[in-house]
């Protein structure tokens, strides 16, 4: 079930957002939408853990607790919740994205933009792209496998080098490697596991992945040198 929370201190706006969501997601049968008139009520529901939300549609200009403060609480508590801001003001767009907002929509454009963003959101949820769920610094993160360039072992930690960032998790390289089909990733060293389709070239004793060059050990030399066969 897709569980959505809508939080807006204006009851009329709250009902309009609810109607827009219901219309946009009419074909999605397994959905539940809850309404909150205050940020405090939403936070209370999240803290009680009696309700788990995948997506929160959040107004910013609310009193006494505004939407940015609610978003800050969500991120500080490392809750696995996506946020779409729906507001009357353009003033907080950059601040909103500091809290990793999925999107930022003005209420004046809601009828046009909210359905498009909800469609994009559900398409991503329902995509067939393989993903892994990891915990980094206490936060649950969903990572598409296609974004992983290579994995590096650093003591008790693994560093996942993605296309645009790095994510550190606790784990063992052997256990991580077993999660994948042997054709997707290639072990080149005790400390490195690389995505086969990210390898650009193989040199004398290194593997080149874009601007990154990693050493491979003698133990894995044969399979590395035949990676393009």
């Amino acid at each position: 079930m897709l569980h959505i929370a809508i939080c807006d201190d204006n009851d009329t706006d709250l009902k309009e957002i609810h109607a827009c969501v219901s219309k946009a997601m009419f074909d999605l049968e397994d959905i539940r939408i809850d309404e909150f008139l205050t940020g405090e009520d939403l936070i209370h529901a999240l803290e009680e853990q009696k309700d788990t939300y995948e997506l929160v549609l959040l107004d910013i200009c609310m009193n006494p607790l505004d939407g940015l403060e609610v978003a800050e609480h969500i991120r500080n508590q490392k809750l696995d919740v996506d946020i779409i801001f729906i507001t009357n003001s353009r003033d907080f767009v950059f601040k909103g994205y500091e809290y990793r907002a999925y999107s930022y929509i003005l209420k004046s454009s809601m009828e046009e933009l909210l359905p498009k963003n909800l469609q994009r959101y559900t398409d991503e949820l329902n995509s067939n792209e393989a993903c892994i769920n990891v915990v980094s610094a206490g936060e649950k993160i969903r990572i598409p496998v296609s974004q992983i360039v290579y994995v590096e072992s650093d003591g008790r930690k693994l560093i996942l080098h993605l296309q645009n960032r790095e994510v550190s998790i606790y784990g063992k390289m052997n256990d991580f490697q077993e999660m994948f089909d042997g054709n997707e990733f290639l072990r080149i060293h005790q400390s490195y596991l690389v995505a086969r389709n990210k390898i650009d070239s193989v040199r004398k004793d290194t593997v080149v992945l874009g601007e990154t060059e990693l050493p491979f050990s003698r133990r894995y030399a044969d399979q590395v040198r035949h990676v393009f066969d």
Side-chain angles (χ1 to χ4, degrees), residues 51-63:
D51 292 307
T52 302
Y53 300 100
E54 288 80 23
L55 179 64
V56 171
L57 309 183
L58 189 59
D59 186 19
I60 289 181
C61 301
M62 300 188 295
N63 287 305

Side-chain angles (χ1 to χ4, degrees), residues 156 158 170-177:
R156 295 174 58 206
L158 298 177
Y170 285 100
K172 297 179 180 179
M173 185 70 86
N174 288 340
D175 293 339
F176 194 87
Q177 185 177 1

Side-chain angles (χ1 to χ4, degrees), residues 58-60 66-72 75 82-87 89-105:
L58 189 59
D59 186 19
I60 289 181
D66 67 41
L68 294 177
E69 292 173 301
V70 176
E72 183 176 18
R75 296 304 178 226
D82 293 306
I83 298 171
I84 294 179
F85 287 111
I86 305 177
T87 182
S89 176
R90 299 177 183 270
D91 296 342
F92 308 102
V93 60
F94 295 110
K95 188 69 175 176
Y97 283 115
E98 287 183 17
Y99 298 109
R100 303 194 303 280
Y102 185 81
S103 58
Y104 188 106
I105 298 172

Side-chain angles (χ1 to χ4, degrees), residues 97-114:
Y97 283 115
E98 287 183 17
Y99 298 109
R100 303 194 303 280
Y102 185 81
S103 58
Y104 188 106
I105 298 172
L106 294 177
K107 289 183 177 179
S108 59
S109 304
M110 181 181 69
E111 290 189 6
E112 174 188 359
L113 296 182
L114 183 55

Side-chain angles (χ1 to χ4, degrees), residues 36-159:
F36 298 90
L37 278 168
T38 70
E40 291 88 344
D41 287 343
L42 174 57
I43 286 177
H44 179 71
L46 292 168
E47 288 179 343
E48 287 289 307
Q49 296 184 349
K50 60 185 178 183
D51 292 307
T52 302
Y53 300 100
E54 288 80 23
L55 179 64
V56 171
L57 309 183
L58 189 59
D59 186 19
I60 289 181
C61 301
M62 300 188 295
N63 287 305
L65 199 65
D66 67 41
L68 294 177
E69 292 173 301
V70 176
E72 183 176 18
H73 174 86
I74 289 172
R75 296 304 178 226
N76 285 344
Q77 295 301 310
K78 304 185 187 305
L79 303 177
D80 187 18
V81 178
D82 293 306
I83 298 171
I84 294 179
F85 287 111
I86 305 177
T87 182
N88 282 318
S89 176
R90 299 177 183 270
D91 296 342
F92 308 102
V93 60
F94 295 110
K95 188 69 175 176
Y97 283 115
E98 287 183 17
Y99 298 109
R100 303 194 303 280
Y102 185 81
S103 58
Y104 188 106
I105 298 172
L106 294 177
K107 289 183 177 179
S108 59
S109 304
M110 181 181 69
E111 290 189 6
E112 174 188 359
L113 296 182
L114 183 55
K116 291 180 180 179
N117 278 271
L118 290 174
Q119 183 64 57
R120 178 166 61 93
Y121 182 78
T122 54
D123 285 347
E124 291 177 5
L125 286 180
N126 296 325
S127 70
N128 292 323
E129 182 175 15
C131 295
I132 59 171
N133 296 312
V134 300
V135 177
S136 177
E139 180 179 7
K140 294 180 181 178
I141 302 175
R142 181 178 171 87
I143 298 176
V145 173
S146 62
Q147 288 188 9
I148 303 174
V149 180
Y150 69 97
V151 181
E152 177 183 2
S153 177
D154 182 17
R156 295 174 58 206
K157 288 187 177 182
L158 298 177
I159 303 172

